[in-house]
């Protein structure tokens, strides 16, 4: 994207976010709060008005002429988000501020054709029930080619070379955008995140799940690298003898030290009575909050390795912030001090203060919101005509 286009795109994100959070708000207030020039704000507002996304209302007069305030016309643009995860697929219809109006969850079928068939049937139901649906965003736990939006590889299911975007688009007649879940989650923080990251345009999102992925945002856009391969930091070498192997079988990767599976393995090492149980990561977190010391220790040790990896990333990329997403974000009160301690200890070499790290501002819905944000990104990107 050319620099001027990038700036316009980022400014649109900023103005939309301000209207979303602070509506009703005047042009002057947006200009004041964002340090964008009044004329820039007016141009963007006019464009968003023309597109039917925001509208004007009359504010209360404080003596003189009543001010003109802006509101979001949220129902004007609806999107379908499809979050294909290893256990479940979550599908939802939401407006452009991420308000979900319809939702369906089903088990992801290990057969990709069966999963596609189910996705299509839910899309067809959504389209019958809701109006103004502009597109479908899909996020998957694997590698996606950003040019063709073909799923290159999903390790969990061993799915390869799946032309998901073109197949789904052909059947439903809607534009479809597909991306990796960590990239999508990062976009969600940008479009729908809370004020903590509202003005941050360079950050890394670390998505901790069964595996571990990262989404890199530079200049308000996902950094894709060649063939979408950027962000595979889950496979950077952290040490030897991790409690589990990564998806590719190595016991040296960050993922092997800091994923949900590694935390569960640490917990089971401490609790031999649970060795054969099918305890989930969420149960581990619940136990930790219920003062199970072994569960707490397993999380804190995992947080230490998360911190080591994050510290490597921040040394190399120097982002403004790092966001931690996935169910681990629920354990934030238990892990944040260990995470910060590790980061502070390893920031000594660089001589720079450690980068702020915080839990996802979107809670449990980061990936679903990510899928929806793919539609927003497409809609507002200057590269693809709206
Ligand atoms: Zn690996």
């Amino acid at each position: 994207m050319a620099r001027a286009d990038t700036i316009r795109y980022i400014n649109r994100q900023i103005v939309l976010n301000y209207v979303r959070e602070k509506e009703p708000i005047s042009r002057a207030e947006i200009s004041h709060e964002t340090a964008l020039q009044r004329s820039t704000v007016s141009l963007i507002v006019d464009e968003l008005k023309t597109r039917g996304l925001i509208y004007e209302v009359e504010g209360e007069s404080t003596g003189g002429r009543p001010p003109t305030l802006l509101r979001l016309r949220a129902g004007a643009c609806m999107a379908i988000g499809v979050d294909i995860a290893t256990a479940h697929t979550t599908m939802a219809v939401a407006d452009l501020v991420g308000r979900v109006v319809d939702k369906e969850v089903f088990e992801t079928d290990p057969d990709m054709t069966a999963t596609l068939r189910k996705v299509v049937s839910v899309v067809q139901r959504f389209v019958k029930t809701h109006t103004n649906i502009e597109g479908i965003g899909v996020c998957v736990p694997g590698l996606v080619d950003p040019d063709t939006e073909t799923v290159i590889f999903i390790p969990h299911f061993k799915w390869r070379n799946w032309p998901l975007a073109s197949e789904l688009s052909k059947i439903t007649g809607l534009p479809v955008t597909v991306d990796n879940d960590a990239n999508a989650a990062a976009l969600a923080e940008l479009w729908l995140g809370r004020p903590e990251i509202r003005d941050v345009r360079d950050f890394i999102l670390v998505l901790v799940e069964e595996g571990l992925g990262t989404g890199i945002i530079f200049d308000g856009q996902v950094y894709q690298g060649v063939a979408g391969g950027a962000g595979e930091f889950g496979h950077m070498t952290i040490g030897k003898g991790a409690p589990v192997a990564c998806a590719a079988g190595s016991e040296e990767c960050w993922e092997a030290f800091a994923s949900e599976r590694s935390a569960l393995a640490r917990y089971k090492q401490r609790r031999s009575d649970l060795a054969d149980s099918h305890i989930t990561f969420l149960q581990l977190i619940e136990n930790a909050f219920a003062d199970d010391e072994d569960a707490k220790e397993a999380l804190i040790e995992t947080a230490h390795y998360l911190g080591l990896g994050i510290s490597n990333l921040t040394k190399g990329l120097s982002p403004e912030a790092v966001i931690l997403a996935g169910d681990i974000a629920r354990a934030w009160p238990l892990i944040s001090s260990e995470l910060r301690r590790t980061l502070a200890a390893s920031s000594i070499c660089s001589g720079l203060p450690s980068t702020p790290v915080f839990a996802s501002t979107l809670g449990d819905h980061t990936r679903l919101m990510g899928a929806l944000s793919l539609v927003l990104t497409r809609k507002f990107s200057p590269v693809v005509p709206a």
Side-chain angles (χ1 to χ4, degrees):
M1 227 188 264
R3 183 70 199 156
D5 287 339
T6 306
I7 292 170
R8 260 199 301 279
Y9 169 74
I10 291 171
N11 288 344
R12 265 185 225 125
Q13 283 177 347
I14 292 172
V15 171
L16 258 181
N17 278 337
Y18 269 89
V19 178
R20 186 191 84 215
E21 275 168 31
K22 307 213 161 169
E23 63 173 355
I25 186 170
S26 70
R27 289 171 175 79
E29 282 171 297
I30 297 174
S31 167
H32 179 74
E33 294 217 22
T34 59
L36 288 174
Q37 283 185 2
R38 186 72 196 268
S39 56
T40 307
V41 172
S42 282
L43 269 176
I44 295 169
V45 164
D46 287 345
E47 186 204 328
L48 296 174
K49 257 175 66 189
T50 310
R51 291 193 185 196
L53 299 174
I54 55 182
Y55 63 101
E56 290 177 337
V57 292
E58 207 170 80
E60 252 171 62
S61 166
T62 48
R65 220 178 81 194
T68 302
L69 303 178
L70 304 163
R71 275 191 171 283
L72 214 55
R73 197 187 299 279
C77 158
M78 305 297 280
I80 294 175
V82 184
D83 165 25
I84 301 180
T86 51
H88 296 99
T89 294
T90 307
M91 295 182 60
V93 181
D95 62 20
L96 89 167
V97 294
R99 273 185 298 231
V100 171
V101 296
D102 202 341
K103 190 170 159 182
E104 195 163 326
V105 182
F106 55 89
E107 271 179 35
T108 309
D109 196 304
D111 174 49
M112 71 184 178
T113 317
T115 291
L116 178 66
R117 219 178 297 131
K118 181 70 187 165
V119 168
V120 167
S121 82
V122 177
V123 167
Q124 285 165 342
R125 181 179 78 69
F126 282 166
V127 170
K128 263 185 220 146
T129 325
H130 305 278
T131 53
N132 297 334
I133 291 176
E134 301 208 355
I136 304 173
V138 190
C139 69
V140 297
L143 200 60
V144 177
D145 183 325
D147 296 323
T148 60
E149 295 184 27
T150 292
V151 175
I152 296 171
F153 184 45
I154 296 182
H156 182 87
F157 295 117
K158 308 273 183 284
W159 292 348
R160 285 178 197 277
N161 302 318
W162 183 19
L164 177 55
S166 64
E167 284 182 2
L168 190 55
S169 178
K170 210 184 296 165
I171 303 170
T172 62
L174 288 164
V176 177
T177 309
V178 181
D179 206 339
N180 162 264
D181 52 6
N183 287 347
L187 283 172
E189 295 290 345
L190 202 60
W191 281 106
L192 305 167
R194 303 265 76 88
E196 298 93 291
I197 60 132
R198 196 171 46 203
D199 300 319
V200 177
R201 286 296 171 272
D202 299 300
F203 64 85
I204 301 170
L205 179 132
V206 179
L207 182 63
V208 178
E209 302 194 295
E210 244 189 48
L212 192 157
T214 62
I216 306 166
I217 299 281
F218 282 147
D219 245 359
Q221 295 162 75
V222 172
Y223 176 71
Q224 296 277 11
V226 174
E232 289 291 315
F233 285 112
H235 297 289
M236 71 177 161
T237 306
I238 283 284
K240 287 193 189 306
V244 293
C246 76
S250 161
E251 285 175 8
E252 299 184 0
C253 295
W254 191 21
E255 173 174 305
F257 282 94
S259 61
E260 291 182 353
R261 286 184 300 117
S262 79
L264 279 167
R266 289 185 182 104
Y267 186 39
K268 287 182 176 182
Q269 276 166 12
R270 289 179 164 81
R271 290 278 303 269
S272 49
D273 56 316
L274 294 173
D276 298 320
S277 74
H278 290 291
I279 184 165
T280 65
F281 185 62
L282 280 176
Q283 283 167 325
L284 192 171
I285 293 176
E286 265 174 41
N287 292 359
F289 275 116
D291 276 333
D292 174 339
E293 287 302 323
D294 295 315
K296 273 194 211 171
E297 283 303 314
L299 285 175
I300 288 168
E301 200 179 324
T302 306
H304 172 70
Y305 286 103
L306 267 174
L308 284 186
I310 289 172
S311 141
N312 286 344
L313 262 56
T314 56
K315 278 177 195 141
L317 299 168
S318 191
E320 290 173 75
V322 174
I323 300 171
L324 189 61
D327 287 333
I328 193 138
R330 298 192 195 194
W332 189 248
L334 299 170
I335 61 168
S336 59
S337 57
E338 174 61 27
L339 206 53
R340 293 204 173 105
R341 201 189 58 73
T342 310
L343 284 167
S346 59
S347 73
I348 292 166
C349 302
S350 69
L352 292 167
S354 56
T355 306
V357 181
F358 39 86
S360 165
T361 62
L362 294 164
D364 297 346
H365 305 295
T366 317
R367 275 201 328 258
L368 178 64
M369 290 299 125
L372 291 159
S373 300
L374 292 171
V375 181
L376 283 171
T377 305
R378 184 190 178 99
K379 185 175 177 67
F380 293 106
S381 163
V383 174
V384 184

